[in-house]
Amino acid sequence: MTIKLSDYTPPAFAITRTEIDFDLDARATRVQSRLTVQRMDPDAPELVLNGEKMRLERVAVDGRELDAGEYAVDDVSLTLRGLGDEAVVEI
C-alpha cells in the first residue's frame, strides 16, 4: 500500500505504548500486539490500523473481546469505532 505525502492527514489517534509478541515458526508467524491509544482528534469517529495479510484471531478493547460486528477488517486495514479518549487495543 502506497501512501503519498499529498494524502497525509494528522493521525486521529496516537499510539502511546506498544507491546508486541512474535511467535516465529517455519510454517507461520503469530503476532500479538497490545496498543495503548489516545484520541488526538476529538471528532474522529474511528481508529484505522493498517496491515496486510492479516488473519485476525482476536480483537479486544480494554480487556473485552469484540464480536465480528464491532469492527471492520479488509485486505489492508482494521477499523475500530466507538473508542473512548484512551483505550487499550489487543490484536
Side-chain angles (χ1 to χ4, degrees):
M1 180 165 139
T2 302
I3 300 174
K4 298 178 182 178
L5 181 59
S6 60
D7 296 331
Y8 176 79
T9 57
F13 288 82
I15 299 174
T16 59
R17 181 180 172 102
T18 303
E19 299 172 42
I20 301 177
D21 181 51
F22 293 94
D23 183 8
L24 304 176
D25 185 274
R27 292 165 294 197
T29 298
R30 185 176 182 173
V31 180
Q32 295 179 338
S33 63
R34 181 180 169 98
L35 309 171
T36 301
V37 297
Q38 182 177 1
R39 183 182 300 277
M40 303 300 288
D41 178 352
D43 297 323
E46 58 196 20
L47 168 65
V48 179
L49 299 170
N50 295 332
E52 297 178 15
K53 299 180 182 176
M54 295 185 297
R55 190 182 85 222
L56 290 177
E57 294 181 4
R58 178 178 183 267
V59 179
V61 174
D62 295 329
R64 185 180 72 80
E65 193 160 336
L66 302 183
D67 294 324
E70 295 182 274
Y71 60 88
V73 64
D74 59 29
D75 291 339
V76 295
S77 65
L78 168 65
T79 302
L80 302 172
R81 295 176 188 87
L83 296 180
D85 288 338
E86 187 170 290
V88 176
V89 177
E90 297 174 75
I91 304 167

